[in-house]
Amino acid sequence: MKILIAGDFAPRARLAKQIEDKKFSEVFSENVREIIKSADFSFVNFESPIVETGYKPIPKCGPNLRCTKEAAEAMRYAGFTGVTMANNHILDYGVDGLHRSVECCKAQGLDIVGVGENLHDAEKVLYLEKKGKRLAVINCCEHEFTIATETGPGANPLNPVRQFYAIQEAKKNADYVLVIVHGGHEMFQLPSPRMVETYRFFIDAGADAVVNHHQHCYSGYETYKGKPIFYGLGNFCFDKEGLRDCSWNEGYMVELSFSDVITSNIYPYCQYGNKPTIELLDTTAFDNTIAELNLIISDNNSLRAKITEYYKNCKNNELSRMEPYSGRILNKLFSLGLLPKFISGQKAINILNHVDCEAHRDKLIFALRNK
């Protein structure tokens, strides 16, 4: 059984116009389509909700993505058989956008996993069968503004305890278990130690493979106890003005072959750089970068050193979010050290305690959500 997984699909800028005009052959090169269609099942992350006139964006951090109904048709044209929807944008236009996305994708015959009318519905395992073998697909995402609740629609949240039970259920009902996660640090090509620990735990719990996307750049991979873990696929089709020929524009699809031994192939590509299309990439430079990333991932000390360096570079930007400055300009000035700090000493200790301690964090999250 061959399964292909691709990263984030979000029609913006040049891509949005091509999708709306149904110029799908301009978007997907024929060799990319052939790879997608060669798999028994293939999934792409449907990052943008389908939005109609009158839908209202939700209040959140970051952009509210949107696309038109032709996006679902484009996924079918490309050769995908399903979409993952547990991501940080699927509720950008509220329940209406989520429902319309599900409706349009189902109309194209696409399997859907990772969202639902409530938490129980969103975490349902998707089962697929081929030639007498059964695959279970679990899709979840880190907590942002799209998470389903006990009573409300949304995405399946990353929760290792709940995923443990989902994997246990899946192992009883399927021959193979695939976990697809949407998470990680944006524009950083390495997983955090937390991600490594969590995804290895999923393998220990019984998953046969774990695949991650979200970071808008590709990461490396490893084989853990004979099972593959891919830490970041990069964007699949996600055009963004001002980003050309950089890590944003490169990624890879991963093809998993499930049998007694699980094997994988990766297909690197360039997407929406100077050319408004996705096409396979010459692998020489890509292979060198992947090898470097894999080497770092394989060594805990090297990985921790890299993530610590990254966190240090992010420190002032993160602290600016808790200072009494609003707006991008003031936050930037603070990050550059041009504005004074107001949170320090005991105040900083109190905040750290409320973020770090599970019991305090529960109360803090409730207070912020119900302010």
Side-chain angles (χ1 to χ4, degrees):
M1 182 185 291
K2 290 200 304 184
I3 313 298
L4 183 131
I5 305 101
D8 302 347
F9 173 74
R12 303 187 77 187
R14 297 168 296 176
L15 175 59
K17 184 68 165 59
Q18 290 170 308
I19 295 297
E20 290 173 23
D21 293 342
K22 296 189 177 184
K23 294 181 178 179
F24 304 147
S25 61
E26 293 182 2
V27 178
F28 310 104
S29 63
E30 195 57 36
N31 52 10
V32 169
R33 291 183 67 212
E34 288 174 359
I35 291 170
I36 297 170
K37 289 184 174 183
S38 69
D40 295 313
F41 301 101
S42 51
F43 285 86
V44 64
N45 177 48
F46 203 81
E47 185 87 356
S48 297
I50 294 173
V51 174
E52 305 287 356
T53 302
Y55 293 7
K56 295 182 179 180
I58 65 168
K60 58 171 290 187
C61 297
N64 294 78
L65 301 184
R66 58 185 294 171
C67 63
T68 59
K69 62 182 184 298
E70 289 80 16
E73 187 178 345
M75 295 298 88
R76 172 54 73 182
Y77 172 87
F80 290 105
T81 64
V83 293
T84 57
M85 285 192 176
N87 58 57
N88 58 311
H89 286 286
I90 199 61
L91 268 186
D92 276 3
Y93 281 80
V95 175
D96 289 336
L98 170 62
H99 286 166
R100 185 62 173 145
S101 302
V102 170
E103 177 186 13
C104 291
C105 287
K106 282 185 175 179
Q108 293 296 324
L110 297 168
D111 292 312
I112 298 170
V113 64
V115 293
E117 290 304 297
N118 51 51
L119 178 58
H120 176 72
D121 193 32
E123 64 186 4
K124 284 183 178 177
V125 179
L126 173 67
Y127 293 99
L128 303 168
E129 294 189 28
K130 187 75 173 182
K131 297 178 181 177
K133 294 295 183 180
R134 203 173 195 213
L135 171 73
V137 182
I138 297 168
N139 177 217
C140 58
C141 64
E142 291 181 348
H143 294 67
E144 290 204 37
F145 295 87
T146 62
I147 298 304
T149 66
E150 293 290 344
T151 57
N156 183 25
L158 173 62
N159 180 320
V161 175
R162 299 186 77 97
Q163 269 87 63
F164 171 83
Y165 289 117
I167 292 169
Q168 296 300 296
E169 173 203 320
K171 290 296 287 185
K172 295 176 183 177
N173 296 295
D175 299 286
Y176 313 111
V177 179
L178 167 63
V179 179
I180 304 175
V181 187
H182 192 75
H185 295 300
E186 293 190 4
M187 302 306 293
F188 184 65
Q189 285 190 283
L190 288 166
S192 68
R194 172 189 56 81
M195 291 172 66
V196 173
E197 181 181 45
T198 301
Y199 298 175
R200 288 178 179 176
F201 169 72
F202 289 161
I203 298 295
D204 289 335
D208 295 292
V210 180
V211 178
N212 184 80
H213 41 55
H214 168 65
Q215 304 99 312
H216 303 306
C217 58
Y218 67 82
S219 184
Y221 55 89
E222 67 172 339
T223 300
Y224 174 72
K225 296 185 177 180
K227 307 294 177 66
I229 303 175
F230 290 85
Y231 288 104
L233 303 185
N235 295 317
F236 176 65
C237 279
F238 199 148
D239 192 13
K240 188 171 184 179
E241 294 179 0
L243 292 178
R244 301 286 184 264
D245 295 327
C246 63
S247 59
W248 177 280
N249 307 110
E250 294 183 357
Y252 61 88
M253 299 176 286
V254 58
E255 179 188 82
L256 300 171
S257 296
F258 290 92
S259 60
D260 293 338
V261 177
I262 300 169
T263 59
S264 62
N265 287 311
I266 61 175
Y267 300 96
Y269 53 76
C270 178
Q271 66 89 27
Y272 284 80
N274 289 322
K275 296 173 64 177
T277 187
I278 174 172
E279 55 188 2
L280 295 181
L281 186 68
D282 175 49
T283 61
T284 304
F286 175 87
D287 289 344
N288 291 336
T289 302
I290 278 286
E292 293 173 4
L293 294 171
N294 292 349
L295 186 62
I296 295 170
I297 291 169
S298 69
D299 183 84
N300 288 336
N301 291 331
S302 296
L303 181 60
R304 289 190 178 278
K306 289 291 186 181
I307 200 74
T308 299
E309 179 184 0
Y310 169 74
Y311 288 161
K312 285 180 178 178
N313 291 334
C314 297
K315 184 181 74 171
N316 284 343
N317 183 56
E318 294 302 314
L319 291 175
S320 72
R321 303 174 193 276
M322 290 179 281
E323 295 284 350
Y325 302 118
S326 61
R328 185 173 297 178
I329 295 176
L330 290 179
N331 283 333
K332 182 64 175 179
L333 290 174
F334 175 83
S335 297
L336 294 173
L338 300 177
L339 292 176
K341 296 179 181 179
F342 290 93
I343 297 175
S344 60
Q346 189 60 44
K347 184 68 172 179
I349 292 173
N350 289 340
I351 292 174
L352 175 61
N353 188 38
H354 276 73
V355 172
D356 207 26
C357 170
E358 291 82 356
H360 290 318
R361 186 166 64 245
D362 289 343
K363 293 187 294 182
L364 178 62
I365 290 172
F366 178 87
L368 289 172
R369 285 179 176 166
N370 296 275
K371 61 184 183 299

